[in-house]
Amino acid sequence: MVSGNSRFSEEKLGKSYDLKLLGRLLPFAKPYKLLFLCSIFLVVMITLMDLSIPYITKITIDTYIVPSTDFFVSETPGEGQKKTRYLSVRMKQPGVASIVGNYPELFRVKGESAVIPYEWLSRLQEEDLANLRGRDFSGVTRMVLFLLVIVCTNFIFNFAQMMIMEYTGQKIMHDLRITLFDHIQHLDLAFFNRNPVGRLVTRATNDIQNMHEMFTSVITFVFKDLFLLVGITVVLFTINFKLALMSLMVLPVVLYFAVQFANVAREAFRTLRIKLAEINSRFAETIEGVRIIQLFRQEVNNYKAFKRINREHFLAGMKQVRVFAVFLPVIEIMGSVALATVILYGGSGILSGTITLGALVAFISYMRMFFRPIRDIAEKFSVMQNAMSSAERIFLILDQGQMVAEPASDEGLPEFKKLTGLNFENVSFSYIPGEMVLKDISFQVRAGETVAVVGPTGAGKTSLINLIVRFYDPTKGRVLVNGNDIKYYPSKSIRSRFALVTQDPFLFSGTIRDNIAQGSRTLTGQQLSHILTASNCRYLTDSLPDGVDTILSERGTSISSGERQLISIARALASDPDLIIFDEATSYIDSETEHKIQSAMKTLMAGRTSILIAHRLSTARNADRIIALRQGEIIETGSHDELIQQQGYYSRLNALQG
Ligand code: UTP
Ligand code: MG
């Protein structure tokens, strides 16, 4: 079952986590090197600005609001209880001397400067106070303006940085998706036998989206946060070494929690992802097989199974929420403890005059800034894990070397022009090693011949065709085209000359016209009209309101399988091939449609080489040669009349079909 498979591979992949992957992503980031550098520069600038804001506050407080020239004098030395803070002014400053002279009872003159207790400042006239502290007022205004400029610049830089990173992330994601898409459409068919559609689609959507997140938010935030942490630490230690040491004492505890969190969160994320993949594949399977589910009345069972997966997904989601719900408050508490330490030691530092008020205020701001990045990084770590495993899964597909092998340029043959003959030379083939589906097949088809292949279901008829169009290569032996091994022709040139009408033709969602024109470059209205008549499709298009421009639903399920086969005959006709390969539908087709298909085939085969796989012997009867296949081996070969005379498998089949 699909879900079982995908679960296995998700788990297997989830465990390995490798930074080497980052290296593999580099080529995708390389075209955007300049943008990345630009972004890093902006991040550095933004961080510096972020760091400067508390520092500017500190300078403002220490220089202008509570100047450090202030000093404290213990008025009652014996008890050491009451301290008075004095403002000191310089007599030389214009206007100061006269103000000091006006209040001789308040000021104490000491040489060049005069001091006044802060408590008495309110006794001065408002005008005098303004004069006295004029320099401080204008200083504060200047600093505030400066701060404003920084905040505005910071805003602009942040905007630019975000735009650049988002742009780059989107671009990389698009490049990656295109690469993946193109790679997948060139892969060998055997790959698709192993990988369910749902899983591949998830790669191109979810996984690529995860990578995008990593490129934008993670790179930006982690880089910014780390830079900020280092910056804050450096600033804290330069402001006050001892206080910095005291306040960062909680750091080891925080780190311990962060690591624990990251581990548990990774596990929770992984479970969540596995459950999501299960939901996706169950959904895909249900939609794909809805007919069978309804036919066998499996709705209730399927519902129950889905409900279980859905609940597991919910529980996994809740577990993740719980992990976050514990971790985030813990970091919050640690932050508060650090803040309390700062206030306790910083406060007493101010009282004892070893720390300035500005330094304490700056410390408090920095401590607040310090814990946000820690939280961010721990959170982003999980996103990173997620993106890494997505990257791993994407590269797993990109590493799939099983492309349809093309000849190396030196051994390649010139472009394939016209078919002169097709040979099977002792060809054996197996899909699964050891289980031979075709055994030692040899036959020849000359140009212009019609060869029919008959045989019971599972005999290997379709497999035979798969080798001719090179969906697969033979396990043993050779398929020769014009006497050369088919491997040495570019598959493109082979396929452009061969047309295949499959058992269950696949039509794309789109108009009938687009489906018919698929194989050929240009079709004029006249050509199309001719093809429609020749392939007996006209009755169909005439009966549809929009004619050839009728839009077929996905896979052409809106028309009958007989009609699908008619359209695919028209599609083969449009490409004007040398070799026609027709895999007759096994499904029941009414005799009228069958007649239409046969007459369309006759037109298609006229003047061309053809290989027909026939279930209805009326199709085989007129072939130049008939090959009867059973269990992967040729049991009879000859014309209709010869085989009837042989009284073997074919003649029994003929007798049965009457
Ligand atoms: P074929 O698909 O060649 O049989 O499979 P057929 O002769 O055309 O049968 P009908 O008439 O259309 O029904 C031959 C064998 O190869 C196996 C099948 O299980 C079958 O036994 N097979 C086919 C694979 O193992 N893998 C495939 O992808 C296809
Ligand atoms: Mg078949």
Side-chain angles (χ1 to χ4, degrees):
M1 208 165 211
V2 173
S3 58
N5 270 344
S6 63
R7 185 188 325 162
F8 170 70
S9 80
E10 296 280 337
E11 273 177 9
K12 193 181 75 189
L13 286 171
K15 274 181 189 139
S16 50
Y17 160 68
D18 196 346
L19 269 177
K20 264 188 217 152
L21 280 168
L22 268 184
R24 296 208 51 188
L25 283 170
L26 275 185
F28 288 95
K30 215 170 167 196
Y32 308 101
K33 207 166 51 187
L34 261 180
L35 288 177
F36 269 110
L37 284 179
C38 201
S39 176
I40 288 175
F41 169 75
L42 286 175
V43 165
V44 171
M45 293 311 287
I46 291 167
T47 317
L48 286 179
M49 283 190 267
D50 281 348
L51 280 176
S52 72
I53 291 172
Y55 205 81
I56 292 172
T57 319
K58 171 193 173 328
I59 294 172
T60 314
I61 294 176
D62 285 348
T63 322
Y64 303 112
I65 299 178
V66 188
S68 41
T69 46
D70 289 2
F71 58 90
F72 299 84
V73 171
S74 198
E75 296 291 301
T76 44
E79 292 144 32
Q81 292 289 340
K82 188 168 180 292
K83 285 180 174 179
T84 307
R85 201 165 125 231
Y86 285 92
L87 171 73
S88 141
V89 289
R90 281 149 64 97
M91 297 293 277
K92 270 193 187 156
Q93 252 174 272
V96 168
S98 66
I99 294 171
V100 171
N102 284 347
Y103 306 92
E105 74 283 8
L106 301 181
F107 285 95
R108 237 189 291 160
V109 183
K110 278 185 177 176
E112 294 254 303
S113 54
V115 294
I116 173 172
Y118 262 79
E119 290 163 12
W120 293 354
L121 282 178
S122 53
R123 293 202 214 163
L124 299 179
Q125 295 265 315
E126 231 173 78
E127 216 174 289
D128 292 338
L129 183 60
N131 273 335
L132 213 55
R133 303 210 65 183
R135 208 172 60 96
D136 293 342
F137 278 128
S138 64
V140 169
T141 319
R142 253 199 330 275
M143 290 310 250
V144 167
L145 282 179
F146 185 49
L147 212 61
L148 217 60
V149 170
I150 287 190
V151 169
C152 289
T153 322
N154 203 358
F155 169 78
I156 295 168
F157 277 27
N158 256 314
F159 171 78
Q161 198 270 340
M162 212 133 98
M163 288 305 283
I164 290 177
M165 234 25 230
E166 204 50 47
Y167 172 84
T168 319
Q170 293 275 356
K171 276 288 198 188
I172 292 177
M173 178 175 76
H174 281 84
D175 294 352
L176 204 60
R177 188 182 288 141
I178 281 281
T179 312
L180 188 68
F181 182 86
D182 196 43
H183 188 83
I184 286 180
Q185 69 170 353
H186 282 104
L187 278 176
D188 189 311
L189 283 190
F191 172 82
F192 298 95
N193 290 341
R194 292 194 309 271
N195 291 279
V197 181
R199 199 193 291 169
L200 295 178
V201 171
T202 312
R203 296 291 165 275
T205 52
N206 278 14
D207 285 336
I208 301 260
Q209 185 59 39
N210 285 348
M211 307 288 308
H212 169 239
E213 242 168 70
M214 185 184 76
F215 272 114
T216 51
S217 63
V218 176
I219 289 186
T220 309
F221 281 106
V222 172
F223 185 75
K224 194 167 162 181
D225 289 343
L226 282 177
F227 198 70
L228 201 62
L229 282 181
V230 174
I232 292 175
T233 315
V234 170
V235 176
L236 286 185
F237 277 99
T238 30
I239 293 180
N240 191 311
F241 194 86
K242 212 170 145 211
L243 188 56
L245 215 57
M246 295 300 286
S247 50
L248 293 184
M249 249 167 28
V250 289
L251 212 55
V253 185
V254 170
L255 284 183
Y256 170 78
F257 270 106
V259 169
Q260 289 298 319
F261 164 80
N263 283 337
V264 183
R266 174 172 50 191
E267 209 45 44
F269 259 108
R270 204 164 65 80
T271 322
L272 196 64
R273 204 176 54 232
I274 293 168
K275 293 300 160 199
L276 188 69
E278 276 181 41
I279 285 185
N280 281 352
S281 38
R282 171 66 62 160
F283 235 113
E285 221 174 49
T286 301
I287 292 167
E288 201 122 312
V290 71
R291 281 157 218 259
I292 305 302
I293 290 171
Q294 290 179 356
L295 204 60
F296 287 88
R297 297 180 307 283
Q298 285 300 307
E299 293 95 331
V300 175
N301 284 342
N302 201 35
Y303 172 82
K304 279 186 191 152
F306 188 77
K307 196 172 163 185
R308 182 182 51 80
I309 301 173
N310 204 29
R311 176 156 178 78
E312 284 168 1
H313 179 258
F314 167 75
L315 292 178
M318 284 314 291
K319 186 173 173 202
Q320 191 198 339
V321 169
R322 261 203 312 279
V323 173
F324 272 89
V326 171
F327 175 71
L328 297 185
V330 164
I331 294 294
E332 212 63 49
I333 290 173
M334 288 298 143
S336 304
V337 170
L339 207 59
T341 317
V342 168
I343 293 171
L344 186 65
Y345 282 88
S348 54
I350 289 186
L351 294 183
S352 63
T354 50
I355 293 171
T356 62
L357 181 63
L360 180 65
V361 172
F363 248 84
I364 291 173
S365 304
Y366 281 127
M367 285 323 283
R368 286 181 167 282
M369 274 166 87
F370 195 81
F371 284 87
R372 188 182 46 79
I374 293 183
R375 227 177 60 176
D376 269 4
I377 290 178
E379 268 178 56
K380 292 292 187 294
F381 184 69
S382 308
V383 180
M384 187 97 161
Q385 296 278 348
N386 215 7
M388 278 301 164
S389 54
S390 287
E392 190 164 17
R393 279 171 287 170
I394 290 170
F395 282 121
L396 207 69
I397 295 183
L398 289 182
D399 288 345
Q400 274 291 334
Q402 282 178 319
M403 313 291 282
V404 181
E406 294 294 333
S409 56
D410 54 336
E411 59 184 15
L413 289 165
E415 184 119 345
F416 175 75
K417 287 267 158 37
K418 185 117 194 89
L419 181 75
T420 55
L422 178 81
N423 283 41
F424 267 58
E425 216 180 62
N426 310 103
V427 170
S428 296
F429 174 68
S430 65
Y431 292 99
I432 307 153
E435 285 179 35
M436 285 296 167
V437 170
L438 293 175
K439 297 163 203 157
D440 200 25
I441 301 281
S442 297
F443 67 91
Q444 189 186 12
V445 184
R446 282 179 288 271
E449 256 188 341
T450 300
V451 170
V453 181
V454 297
T457 216
K461 304 181 295 295
T462 303
S463 310
L464 194 79
I465 287 178
N466 286 343
L467 298 183
I468 301 176
V469 288
R470 273 200 87 199
F471 281 154
Y472 301 89
D473 282 328
T475 316
K476 265 196 226 127
R478 299 193 299 167
V479 177
L480 304 175
V481 169
N482 295 358
N484 299 311
D485 195 325
I486 195 168
K487 280 185 196 164
Y488 296 130
Y489 287 108
S491 53
K492 196 171 72 185
S493 72
I494 290 282
R495 286 177 188 163
S496 68
R497 305 306 312 141
F498 292 2
L500 173 61
V501 178
T502 54
Q503 258 176 321
D504 187 17
F506 183 95
L507 299 181
F508 289 93
S509 47
T511 61
I512 294 181
R513 183 199 298 275
D514 289 344
N515 268 291
I516 292 178
Q518 199 70 239
S520 60
R521 297 128 289 269
T522 44
L523 269 190
T524 63
Q526 209 178 0
Q527 281 170 323
L528 183 67
S529 160
H530 173 75
I531 289 167
L532 285 178
T533 316
S535 61
N536 275 336
C537 280
R538 190 165 288 288
Y539 92 96
L540 169 68
T541 52
D542 284 352
S543 70
L544 293 168
D546 293 327
V548 280
D549 292 313
T550 305
I551 294 172
L552 301 177
S553 70
E554 199 180 351
R555 293 181 182 193
T557 43
S558 52
I559 54 176
S560 81
S561 60
E563 290 164 339
R564 275 211 298 280
Q565 199 143 36
L566 283 177
I567 291 179
S568 81
I569 290 174
R571 177 165 67 187
L573 251 176
S575 67
D576 189 22
D578 287 343
L579 177 70
I580 304 289
I581 305 164
F582 179 68
D583 201 348
E584 194 173 54
T586 37
S587 55
Y588 172 78
I589 288 171
D590 64 70
S591 50
E592 195 190 341
T593 312
E594 188 181 336
H595 178 74
K596 277 188 187 129
I597 291 177
Q598 285 191 348
S599 86
M601 279 307 294
K602 209 170 266 173
T603 329
L604 179 60
M605 283 155 48
R608 303 180 215 262
T609 317
S610 19
I611 296 176
L612 306 177
I613 293 187
H615 291 278
R616 285 167 273 274
L617 294 191
S618 52
T619 316
R621 189 165 289 140
N622 299 321
D624 297 312
R625 208 139 22 87
I626 298 166
I627 296 174
L629 209 60
R630 194 169 58 195
Q631 292 179 358
E633 284 173 293
I634 296 182
I635 48 170
E636 285 167 23
T637 165
S639 70
H640 174 78
D641 295 336
E642 285 165 6
L643 290 186
I644 293 289
Q645 272 178 8
Q646 274 185 26
Q647 297 281 317
Y649 170 78
Y650 183 81
S651 79
R652 281 201 301 279
L653 208 62
N654 191 48
L656 274 177
Q657 289 199 6

